[in-house]
Amino acid sequence: MQIGYARPYPSDPDREKQKQILQEAGCDTFINEIHFSSGQRPELMNMIKSVQPGDKIVVSNLLTFADSTRNLFELLQEIEWKEAFFHSVQEDIDTSKEDHNSFKKIVKHIIDFESDLLSEKTKEGIHEAKQKGSIPGRPRIPDENVKKAIQMYESKKYSLADIKNTTGISKTTLYRYLGKSQDS
């Protein structure tokens, strides 16, 4: 069975373009999402749960189907586990006609590439900040606040909330400094 899936998005809010493409692709049944929002896609989840071995999910384009590269990979994985297929008309991707792992592998490589790219850009930004004399990370808490927080804690007269309100040092940070002072 060929199952057509459509959801509204700004350039096709009524899903009319998608419906035409899905009809031309020969879909037997149609699933229409009401919202474009990634958090509100119950029809997609129900469709994935109920797909049977040999079924093919057809979409007009990848934008209709997934919200990110990682989301695309996860959905393709679920379809594969169900022994079903996926067809995106616009991109001419049809997992029933190819080595069904090849497109999924490409998507996985793209995810890894995006992750590596983000990591390298972050490292580059940290390096540039250090070159300019900036210290990356959270600002250091002034030593006098730490000393005051430790004194308040050790006096046993103040609650952790009182210590935080007075010094700005959280419970976790205070315990971290207390651990350091005890190790010394």
Side-chain angles (χ1 to χ4, degrees):
M1 175 185 294
Q2 290 200 111
I3 306 163
Y5 174 78
R7 74 169 167 163
Y9 51 90
S11 61
D12 189 17
D14 298 327
R15 302 174 304 272
E16 292 303 321
K17 293 175 192 171
Q18 296 173 69
K19 288 176 189 174
Q20 182 179 351
I21 291 169
L22 297 174
Q23 286 173 342
E24 290 172 6
C27 292
D28 304 308
T29 186
F30 300 93
I31 305 295
N32 289 301
E33 203 69 68
I34 297 171
H35 300 281
F36 178 70
S37 170
S38 59
Q40 298 179 6
R41 297 189 42 202
E43 298 300 328
L44 174 65
M45 302 314 346
N46 290 335
M47 178 182 64
I48 297 285
K49 286 179 187 174
S50 64
V51 72
Q52 299 296 311
D55 285 351
K56 185 190 289 186
I57 295 173
V58 183
V59 296
S60 62
N61 58 47
L62 292 175
L63 174 66
T64 304
F65 189 61
D67 298 313
S68 66
T69 311
R70 184 168 306 282
N71 180 234
L72 175 62
F73 179 77
E74 291 165 354
L75 291 169
L76 291 172
Q77 188 118 28
E78 287 187 54
I79 291 169
E80 182 182 325
W81 288 335
K82 297 279 194 152
E83 298 177 7
F85 302 101
F86 173 75
H87 180 198
S88 178
V89 176
Q90 184 176 340
E91 290 87 1
D92 195 27
I93 298 164
D94 189 342
T95 62
S96 69
K97 293 182 179 177
E98 59 182 50
D99 170 15
H100 67 280
N101 282 323
S102 65
F103 179 64
K104 194 176 83 173
K105 284 180 186 176
I106 291 169
V107 172
K108 177 69 171 122
H109 288 299
I110 291 171
I111 291 170
D112 293 342
F113 169 70
E114 286 177 342
S115 178
D116 291 346
L117 197 58
L118 179 62
S119 176
E120 287 304 313
K121 284 183 179 185
T122 301
K123 289 175 188 173
E124 182 182 327
I126 290 171
H127 178 74
E128 286 178 13
K130 285 181 179 178
Q131 295 297 331
K132 293 178 182 176
S134 177
I135 300 171
R138 295 185 92 175
R140 201 168 144 72
I141 297 172
D143 287 339
E144 59 271 5
N145 282 4
V146 173
K147 288 177 186 172
K148 185 172 185 168
I150 291 172
Q151 288 171 345
M152 290 174 74
Y153 178 81
E154 289 176 345
S155 76
K156 299 185 188 227
K157 296 179 183 175
Y158 302 94
S159 71
L160 292 172
D162 292 337
I163 295 170
K164 182 177 181 191
N165 291 337
T166 304
T167 63
I169 295 177
S170 70
K171 173 178 77 171
T172 305
T173 303
L174 175 62
Y175 285 149
R176 187 174 65 240
Y177 278 105
L178 287 169
K180 284 181 182 178
S181 67
Q182 292 170 357
D183 292 340
S184 303

